[in-house]
Amino acid sequence: MTDRTSPSGSEQPLDTAYDTALLDLDGVVYAGGDAIAHAVESLTAARKDGMRLAYVTNNAARTPATVAEHLTHLGVPAAAEDVITSAQAVARLIADEVPAGSKVLAVGGEGLFAALRERGLEPVESAADSPVAAVQGYGPELRWSQLAEMAYAVNAGVPWFASNTDLTIPSARGIAPGNGAAVEVVRIATGGTPRVAGKPLPPMHRETVIRTGARRPLVVGDRLDTDIEGAHAGGVDSLLVLTGVTTAAALLAAEPRHRPTYVARDLRGLLAPHPEVTWSSDQARCGAWTAAPSHSSLSLMGEGDPLDGLRALCAAAWTRPDLDATPGLETLAL
């Protein structure tokens, strides 16, 4: 995939241009236990338009059935087979390398334990149980003693795996430590490096393809370093929504592998066409906005939808990363 130098346009609404939405959950559909504004209505409309909805999450704490029940409760009917988790991806990765019935030291939530059992593996809780592998996944009730067991196993030479290494996770109260933070604790204690399955790495992409069979997928996420990078690595298009951890400033500073195909405020971006960014001389234009170099920075002028201004500014910043985009960003009221 060539380096992206501007967000793309689409004459069709995205829910008709793509057959399957591969949706992240935390920061996209919900934060904590609550639906994000416009998510339920947008997903309902996309499904009516014929788009298949699949939920692809790095959060390994809950089982697919529990996630589907939560989504249905929020007003987005879903079945367990519509949910793909990093726990499933890491369980397949381990099962490909150890005999069926093997003991695996597991630290995380029920979603990780269920995924291991689905692959015919036996989760255990202590390094003294002679596990042939050790795996970490996010669990909100994580205890320090569990991290100690993981460190004992890794220091003893047991192969180490992690569902994902997201350092943070969005919640209803703000940004909280994610599984990557717990992985770092074990890394400090052992000097080791785990094999990771979750986004943006290939095992998660493989799990998603196996379970969805998508032909023309669109990855929808809020994180540049997992959702968007994973789409880039898999050679598929992506939509970044600004309802999670990524800020407009971070988007402007994104390196090539973190640049989304499309940008939207929220999941309403699935239901609409996206305007093209055009160039005239050294000015990037989108809608009624123009972004251009001005001395050592990028300026932004115009009116109308501020998101069009952000798209134009992205094109200018991605083409001229040597220039400061802050003055242009200060013009917008996103």
Side-chain angles (χ1 to χ4, degrees):
M1 180 177 288
T2 58
D3 288 350
R4 180 170 300 283
T5 56
S6 71
S8 293
S10 173
E11 294 182 358
Q12 293 178 256
L14 299 185
D15 65 344
T16 62
Y18 298 87
D19 70 343
T20 306
L22 305 180
L23 295 132
D24 185 47
L25 288 171
D26 292 301
V28 176
V29 179
Y30 53 64
D34 300 323
I36 287 173
H38 310 294
V40 172
E41 312 93 284
S42 298
L43 293 174
T44 299
R47 185 188 295 105
K48 287 182 179 179
D49 287 341
M51 184 177 232
R52 180 182 175 187
L53 306 179
Y55 302 95
V56 185
T57 177
N58 264 1
N59 189 331
R62 297 187 293 172
T63 66
T66 301
V67 174
E69 183 180 356
H70 180 199
L71 289 168
T72 301
H73 176 74
L74 292 178
V76 185
E81 55 266 28
D82 297 325
V83 180
I84 302 95
T85 73
S86 63
Q88 293 171 317
V90 77
R92 189 183 298 271
L93 186 62
I94 296 169
D96 285 347
E97 301 194 6
V98 304
S102 293
K103 293 180 179 180
V104 177
L105 174 62
V107 170
E110 179 56 33
L112 181 60
F113 303 138
L116 292 169
R117 295 187 189 105
E118 181 188 26
R119 298 261 70 89
L121 302 170
E122 180 186 348
V124 298
E125 297 184 357
S126 172
D129 291 327
S130 302
V132 300
V135 59
Q136 282 181 262
Y138 178 74
E141 306 302 324
L142 177 68
R143 303 188 306 275
W144 199 257
S145 60
Q146 292 176 298
L147 295 180
E149 291 297 328
M150 187 65 57
Y152 300 149
V154 174
N155 278 325
V158 174
W160 181 25
F161 297 82
S163 63
N164 68 298
T165 52
D166 297 28
L167 290 173
T168 60
I169 186 169
S171 75
R173 296 176 58 191
I175 301 300
N179 190 52
V183 168
E184 284 302 308
V185 172
V186 177
R187 191 195 307 271
I188 290 168
T190 64
T193 300
R195 292 183 59 186
V196 183
K199 296 180 284 187
L201 297 171
M204 190 68 179
H205 182 70
R206 177 179 67 147
E207 193 71 22
T208 300
V209 169
I210 290 172
R211 290 181 182 265
T212 66
R215 294 178 178 272
R216 182 162 170 71
L218 177 70
V219 169
V220 184
D222 69 308
R223 300 184 73 106
L224 300 179
D225 59 347
T226 55
D227 304 313
I228 306 308
E229 184 177 338
H232 185 274
V236 300
D237 290 346
S238 60
L239 168 66
L240 177 77
V241 292
L242 300 174
T243 49
V245 302
T246 297
T247 63
L251 176 61
L252 293 174
E255 57 185 287
R257 61 181 176 161
H258 291 166
R259 295 172 184 172
T261 313
Y262 309 103
V263 181
R265 287 183 184 82
D266 50 55
L267 285 176
R268 289 176 294 179
L270 279 175
L271 309 177
H274 285 242
E276 290 278 358
V277 178
T278 61
W279 285 89
S280 177
S281 183
D282 60 349
Q283 297 181 336
R285 296 182 178 180
C286 187
W289 293 89
T290 300
S294 177
H295 303 296
S296 61
S297 63
L298 293 171
S299 64
L300 182 67
M301 297 175 292
E303 59 184 4
D305 187 350
L307 198 63
D308 288 345
L310 179 61
R311 293 180 176 116
L313 195 57
C314 280
W318 294 351
T319 303
R320 292 294 306 275
D322 57 310
L323 299 181
D324 181 10
T326 303
L329 185 58
E330 291 174 346
T331 304
L332 296 173
L334 289 169

